[in-house]
Amino acid sequence: MVTGIVFAPLGLVLVFTAAITPQWREGQARLGTAAPGSLLRLGAKGQVVGGRSGPVEALLLVRSDGLWESCLQVEHSELRQCWPVAGLYQRDPRVRLAQGLVLTSLFLCGTGIVLACIGVRCWTDIPLRGVAASGGLLVMMAGLLSLTALGVYTHNLAKLGVNPNSKVTNPRLPRLTLHPAGSLYFGWLGSCLQVLGGVALLFSFKRPRCHTCPSRPELPACPACRTCPEISNKTDMDVYEVSC
């Protein structure tokens, strides 16, 4: 139970961090040239505008996409522009599937953690094992859903937002080589922790086996210790007070 209570919230935080950050995939490209010290700014949706004549050097642009936000940044500078996902990328059914699975995963994991906390009942001696295990089942399902979302996104990473029927290319636009970024790794780690935490909580269904009273084998010794002569007559028993 302790393992599940620790792993489940940690996994939830990591998956939530991955969901709100725009670094699910990244690509770099050199676009145009600019004079050292020239004034540049990023326009709407990341267009680089501005500048003046002088010695020139290539601009290295870093493009990143997430589930709900895209960003464009000029490397080694403070020029950065972010905007909500739009266009073909936003309408891509695989992106929408990943969005829905991640949101469902976050909801199930949060609900499972609440049930697990109620079931573990660290402030009492006896936990509600069925409630804790039910929470673990929800947490495990949340981890599997987020793993599915991450798998779908990673498998189609380079195809998301690309129209397969379009054969028109603009030579003035840079060609990005997209690769997985940091948010995906946060998501993978968080999802694995959710699955492990949920499986650990599922073991709450298994009740610990108590020793039976020798003279009354039909009763477990735990609730029947006062009626069991072999136990109640012992004078050298140690008594411990247990608290969480």
Side-chain angles (χ1 to χ4, degrees), residues 5-57:
I5 286 294
V6 172
F7 280 12
L10 184 57
L12 176 64
V13 171
L14 290 174
V15 173
F16 179 75
T17 302
I20 63 175
T21 51
Q23 282 79 33
W24 282 57
R25 67 177 186 179
E26 283 185 353
Q28 295 182 353
R30 295 188 180 276
L31 176 65
T33 57
S38 60
L39 297 177
L40 295 174
R41 63 185 178 86
L42 292 177
K45 294 190 177 181
Q47 298 92 339
V48 180
V49 297
R52 60 172 180 264
S53 60
V56 295
E57 62 181 9

Side-chain angles (χ1 to χ4, degrees), residues 130-215:
V131 178
S134 300
L137 180 62
L138 291 181
V139 172
M140 186 186 68
M141 291 176 58
L144 294 177
L145 287 178
S146 55
L147 284 175
T148 303
L150 291 163
V152 170
Y153 192 97
T154 305
H155 181 70
N156 302 282
L157 187 140
K159 305 175 184 177
L160 299 175
V162 178
N163 186 0
N165 299 323
S166 177
K167 299 181 180 180
V168 179
T169 59
N170 191 339
R172 295 184 302 174
L173 297 178
R175 183 175 182 84
L176 297 178
T177 302
L178 299 171
H179 56 83
S183 297
L184 277 181
Y185 301 116
F186 276 109
W188 285 112
L189 179 59
S191 301
C192 292
L193 288 178
Q194 286 178 345
V195 173
L196 292 177
V199 171
L201 285 169
L202 279 176
F203 283 103
S204 302
F205 276 126
K206 185 178 180 180
R207 297 179 178 273
R209 297 183 61 182
C210 299
H211 297 289
T212 57
C213 177
S215 61

Side-chain angles (χ1 to χ4, degrees), residues 16-27 62-72 80-85 89 153 179-184:
F16 179 75
T17 302
I20 63 175
T21 51
Q23 282 79 33
W24 282 57
R25 67 177 186 179
E26 283 185 353
V62 180
R63 168 70 181 267
S64 60
D65 294 309
L67 292 182
W68 285 276
E69 190 178 39
S70 298
C71 292
L72 186 65
R80 180 182 175 89
Q81 181 72 31
C82 296
W83 61 93
V85 294
Y89 180 80
Y153 192 97
H179 56 83
S183 297
L184 277 181

